Amino acid sequence: MSQIRAAITGIQGYVPDYILTNAELEKMVDTNDEWIVSRTGIKERRILKGEGLGTSHMAVEAVKGLLAKTKTSPEEIDLLICATTTPDYVFPSTANLICDMAGIKAIGSFDIQAACSGFVYALTVGSQFIETGKYKKVIVVGADKMSAIVDYTDRTTCVLFGDGAGAVLLEPNTEGFGVLDSIIKSDGAGQPFLHQKAGGSRYPPTHETVDKRWHYAYQDGPSVFKFAVTNMADVAAEIMEKNHLTGEDVAWLVPHQANKRIISATANRMKVGMDKVMLNIQKYGNTTAATIPLCLWDYESQLKKGDNLILAAFGGGFTWGAIYVKWGY
């Protein structure tokens, strides 16, 4: 009997309507378009506006669109996993909320928190449920409302992040398509360089934590850049070597969209030309767990059945990882 693989059989994304341009950021902090574009590649990002709207509101739009596009009814879904760093609440999980809002009832659903590597982690976990034969239809979502935890007085971080969501449907495949291999890694020693200090059990919310601005994302840019350039490139190269792939064999690199220079370094390490690299950082910025599925959504029309894709990411924690996918449609 042929081995069961978890094939991606549908992809859908969602980004909010509001566009935050570099020109608008110039009025908020001491920065300029040339500086932002030259260092990050970002020209604009989407922001979710509206009282009481959280990550789940974007994620459910992606999930509803995915169900409609793949002609799948909510009753057919066996499991939903949401990768997010910006959950609506500490509890219940954002995945629970997405299921309720999408009309998906009485199934397992849970969140995965691996920062910007969240989608790679969640896809790795979700594929296991298909490969074992336990489930037939699994939805994996990557979604973040980074505007909720970005300090718009900090010019080093506020230029980087945007809001968005993407979702994929996983189904069994015995023809050799789908998730063929994955590598996930972490190193908690990276915590001081990229974190949100308060809001958890170490530093619950107080007047002091608010006054100290500890509820915003903090990043030590140079340290994170150095780590990311090395490890995202290394893990992408590692999964290629493990599966005997050369740059010629890879149809697309699907990298986490944090910084164009990091993406270029990863492509160089893989010996893949930039014409084979999915890029949308210029219009969405860094949407954390949503970057990779949003890339797949944007480039879906250019994907061909049998294409070899390498998904690669790194994130706060530190976390990093790569997945080898053979595209199934």
Side-chain angles (χ1 to χ4, degrees), residues 238-259:
E238 182 183 345
I239 204 162
M240 286 174 64
E241 288 162 17
K242 192 178 164 195
N243 290 279
H244 312 292
L245 297 170
T246 67
E248 294 283 310
D249 301 319
V250 176
W252 293 99
L253 165 63
V254 193
H256 169 53
Q257 308 284 301
N259 180 301

Side-chain angles (χ1 to χ4, degrees), residues 44-125:
E44 57 190 41
R45 63 290 290 150
R46 300 298 184 98
I47 305 295
L48 181 64
K49 299 272 191 177
E51 176 130 12
L53 297 182
T55 296
S56 65
H57 293 83
M58 297 182 293
V60 77
E61 291 300 323
V63 169
K64 283 180 174 177
L66 178 67
L67 292 172
K69 188 172 172 181
T70 58
K71 296 181 172 59
T72 306
S73 72
E75 293 76 23
E76 292 178 77
I77 302 303
D78 299 308
L79 178 72
L80 186 143
I81 304 171
C82 177
T84 187
T85 301
T86 54
D88 289 38
Y89 305 108
V90 173
F91 69 92
S93 75
T94 303
N96 288 176
L97 303 176
I98 296 165
C99 286
D100 180 57
M101 295 159 75
I104 300 171
K105 305 294 184 186
I107 66 161
S109 67
F110 57 89
D111 291 355
I112 283 182
Q113 211 292 64
C116 296
S117 304
F119 185 78
V120 166
Y121 269 59
L123 190 61
T124 298
V125 172

Side-chain angles (χ1 to χ4, degrees), residues 24 33 61 74 78-79 129 144 154 186 227 260-261 303 315:
E24 190 174 346
D33 178 70
E61 291 300 323
D78 299 308
L79 178 72
F129 287 91
D144 272 297
D154 176 9
S186 69
F227 166 86
K260 197 173 178 183
R261 290 183 295 167
L303 292 170

Side-chain angles (χ1 to χ4, degrees), residues 275-291:
D275 58 322
K276 293 162 76 171
V277 178
M278 293 191 186
L279 268 179
N280 60 16
I281 190 173
Q282 68 281 1
K283 58 181 181 176
Y284 300 142
N286 181 351
T287 55
T288 305
T291 62

Side-chain angles (χ1 to χ4, degrees), residues 267-328:
N268 287 339
R269 177 87 163 77
M270 294 168 61
K271 296 183 170 59
V272 168
M274 287 302 291
D275 58 322
K276 293 162 76 171
V277 178
M278 293 191 186
L279 268 179
N280 60 16
I281 190 173
Q282 68 281 1
K283 58 181 181 176
Y284 300 142
N286 181 351
T287 55
T288 305
T291 62
I292 288 176
L294 282 175
C295 274
L296 292 173
W297 179 53
D298 272 354
Y299 282 79
E300 184 184 23
S301 64
Q302 297 182 55
L303 292 170
K304 300 182 188 69
K305 191 171 184 176
D307 277 354
N308 289 320
L309 275 56
I310 301 294
L311 284 52
F314 74 93
F318 289 125
T319 61
W320 65 104
I323 297 180
Y324 169 31
V325 174
K326 192 173 282 288
W327 197 250

